[in-house]
Amino acid sequence: MGRAFEYRKARKLKRWGNMARTFTRIGKEIDIAVKAGGPDPANNTRLRILIQNAKAENMPKENVERAIKRAVSKDTSDYKEIVYEGYGPFGIAIVVETATDNNTRTVANVRHCFNKYGGSLGTTGSLDFLFDRKCVFKITRPENFDLEEFELEMIDYGADEIFEDEENHVIIYGSFEAFGAIQKYLEDNHYEMVSGEFERIPLDTKELTEEQRETVDKLLEKLEEDDDVTNVYHNIKE
């Protein structure tokens, strides 16, 4: 998992290397969170985490505040989170997460990418069996931290994998349903949260040759260039 996590991290850094694009993505997610749970972070767990994520991405506080104000305004776009699934070249499974205010435009763009690079767009839910959806939190490693003791405590809250990275962070993976319980525990015990999000972990991976990988990467990179796309997952063996 550690190596896979670093790979996904590298892809995210590449995808969100453009700061303006990063802020746009977070702004859309804030819009969705506010409309679903209200503008008060104290009563909206998802919004609290997004504000923390924005801080980790160096998004200015005033940008976050503007995004929240826009979300409660009647004039803002109505963003929805939509997931598209399909197969790329060589049978690689690909899941595309989007946040869009125009589903017709987005599905047309995603389908065009699949068709252009030798893939095919499937039906919603067709690839669920190939991926395990997890929540993942990153916290700053406290002083005098006992990883083993922390692991034993977190198991009761739905965590199933915990490890430390090279940047003095502790990474916590848990079931999708455990997001709220893990977040509450970390907040109640005053851990410094860097970020919290969801990921899709492939349950079965396929090995590609270097030439095949280059072909699939063209599709993945084209998908990631779309402003409506927030995450792209696949089952290529690293």
Side-chain angles (χ1 to χ4, degrees):
M1 179 70 73
R3 182 181 176 187
F5 172 81
E6 289 303 317
Y7 174 77
R8 290 192 299 274
K9 176 184 175 183
R11 288 195 68 85
K12 283 188 177 183
L13 288 175
K14 179 180 179 181
R15 169 68 177 96
W16 302 117
N18 184 301
M19 186 171 293
R21 180 172 284 179
T22 303
F23 294 171
T24 298
R25 172 182 62 91
I26 295 174
K28 287 183 179 181
E29 293 178 340
I30 288 175
D31 182 281
I32 294 169
V34 169
K35 288 179 177 176
D40 185 359
N43 299 316
N44 188 332
T45 58
R46 182 57 185 155
L47 180 58
R48 280 203 305 277
I49 282 291
L50 285 171
I51 291 173
Q52 194 63 43
N53 291 354
K55 182 180 178 181
E57 296 286 356
N58 298 313
M59 185 172 179
K61 183 179 179 180
E62 54 268 27
N63 289 36
V64 174
E65 293 173 346
R66 281 199 300 269
I68 294 174
K69 288 179 180 178
R70 283 197 302 268
V72 299
S73 168
K74 295 180 180 179
D75 298 328
T76 58
S77 298
D78 186 16
Y79 291 110
K80 291 181 173 62
E81 293 179 299
I82 301 175
V83 178
Y84 302 100
E85 304 166 40
Y87 284 96
F90 317 109
I92 294 300
I94 300 174
V95 176
V96 183
E97 295 180 343
T98 69
T100 178
D101 59 349
N102 187 329
N103 184 38
T104 302
R105 176 195 67 219
T106 304
V107 69
N109 290 343
V110 172
R111 180 179 287 111
H112 174 73
C113 289
F114 273 93
N115 292 342
K116 181 176 180 180
Y117 293 96
S120 60
L121 194 60
T123 57
T124 301
S126 60
L127 300 183
D128 279 350
F129 71 100
L130 288 175
F131 293 86
D132 190 8
R133 200 171 187 201
K134 297 283 189 179
C135 65
V136 54
F137 291 86
K138 179 190 291 186
I139 63 172
T140 300
R141 186 184 187 280
E143 293 184 9
N144 304 317
F145 180 71
D146 188 322
L147 181 61
E148 184 175 345
E149 181 179 333
F150 183 73
E151 284 180 323
L152 292 174
E153 184 72 22
M154 292 304 302
I155 287 174
D156 293 336
Y157 295 88
D160 52 34
E161 183 170 6
I162 300 172
F163 58 91
E164 299 178 58
D165 67 11
E166 298 176 353
E167 300 175 347
N168 203 37
H169 294 135
V170 179
I171 313 299
I172 306 158
Y173 277 90
S175 65
F176 176 80
E177 297 78 10
F179 185 94
I182 293 175
Q183 179 188 13
K184 187 176 187 305
Y185 175 86
L186 295 175
E187 290 181 337
D188 290 349
N189 289 274
H190 309 293
Y191 286 98
E192 183 183 347
M193 277 191 284
V194 177
S195 63
E197 56 190 344
F198 296 103
E199 289 192 13
R200 297 177 190 269
I201 312 299
L203 298 173
D204 184 35
T205 58
K206 298 191 67 171
E207 190 166 359
L208 299 181
T209 66
E210 184 175 344
E211 184 176 343
Q212 289 173 332
R213 181 59 191 263
E214 289 178 358
T215 299
V216 178
D217 277 346
K218 291 179 182 178
L219 169 57
L220 298 176
E221 290 171 4
K222 192 64 177 178
L223 287 167
E224 291 171 344
E225 289 175 0
D226 192 302
D227 288 339
D228 291 334
V229 172
T230 55
N231 286 299
V232 178
Y233 299 97
H234 58 74
N235 68 335
I236 301 174
K237 185 176 181 180
E238 306 301 339

